[in-house]
Amino acid sequence: NGASLNHPADVLDVAFSPDGTLLATACADGLVRFWSVTTGTPLGAALDHGSSVLTLAFSPDGHQLASGGEDKLVRVWSVATRQPTGVVLQHDAPVEDVAFSPPGDLLATASSVGDDRVRFWSPRTGELVGASVQSCCGLQDLDFAPDGTRIAVGGSNVRPTLARIAPPFRGD
């Protein structure tokens, strides 16, 4: 039995907090909304990304949320305060997916047609870390291996690809 959320805009992505108590929704209206998993009610103020939000990811500790959008930007937010951390990351095309590494020291971002690359950032400083992974024609998804040493990418017209991430190629 599921409960339907009373949502005012199209939902383009969803993410559970690591502790399972929050659900974040990425919306076409440019807002990120938080919901109680137990009651289905909205929690606190929405985050204003500024354009359609295409993707979301919580940090492993649940303290941060990254949102990526059609505006080619990734914003990092404090979940506790619902305020931006000041980290804004720029791509050359809409951001299709974001993922934190298992230790939370890297934030990977995938952009789509026109850029087609995965970039790695320090979520604390917003600085690029290491080399990007170039792909072709429509990156849409990425995920870290549980041990954080590899990343998998895929999308339309993209063969699934594995890339190794090894020290010193790490954030913070």
Side-chain angles (χ1 to χ4, degrees):
N1 241 356
S4 180
L5 304 178
N6 185 16
H7 213 283
D10 290 344
V11 176
L12 305 176
D13 197 16
V14 295
F16 280 102
S17 62
D19 67 4
T21 62
L22 293 176
L23 177 71
T25 55
C27 305
D29 64 3
L31 299 178
V32 175
R33 293 175 174 85
F34 292 94
W35 304 83
S36 165
V37 171
T38 56
T39 67
T41 57
L43 295 174
L47 310 178
D48 187 358
H49 181 90
S51 75
S52 288
V53 185
L54 304 176
T55 182
L56 296 172
F58 279 95
S59 62
D61 64 9
H63 295 164
Q64 295 179 319
L65 180 83
S67 62
E70 275 189 8
D71 57 1
K72 307 174 189 175
L73 299 177
V74 174
R75 299 179 190 281
V76 180
W77 307 86
S78 164
V79 174
T81 67
R82 305 288 203 271
Q83 296 295 312
T85 65
V87 173
V88 179
L89 314 173
Q90 177 74 51
H91 267 274
D92 297 327
V95 178
E96 299 290 341
D97 202 8
V98 295
F100 284 90
S101 63
D105 61 343
L106 287 176
L107 177 61
T109 59
S111 60
S112 61
V113 177
D115 189 23
D116 292 309
R117 72 180 64 236
V118 175
R119 291 188 171 107
F120 301 93
W121 315 81
S122 163
R124 188 178 54 82
T125 66
E127 293 178 20
L128 280 169
V129 179
S132 62
V133 175
Q134 184 72 43
S135 190
C136 170
C137 314
L139 279 174
Q140 292 175 312
D141 196 23
L142 61 90
D143 197 13
F144 280 93
D147 66 2
T149 63
R150 295 183 185 271
I151 191 161
V153 298
S156 60
N157 301 317
V158 177
R159 286 190 173 159
T161 304
L162 288 171
R164 178 169 285 291
I165 303 169
F169 186 76
R170 300 300 309 175
D172 303 330

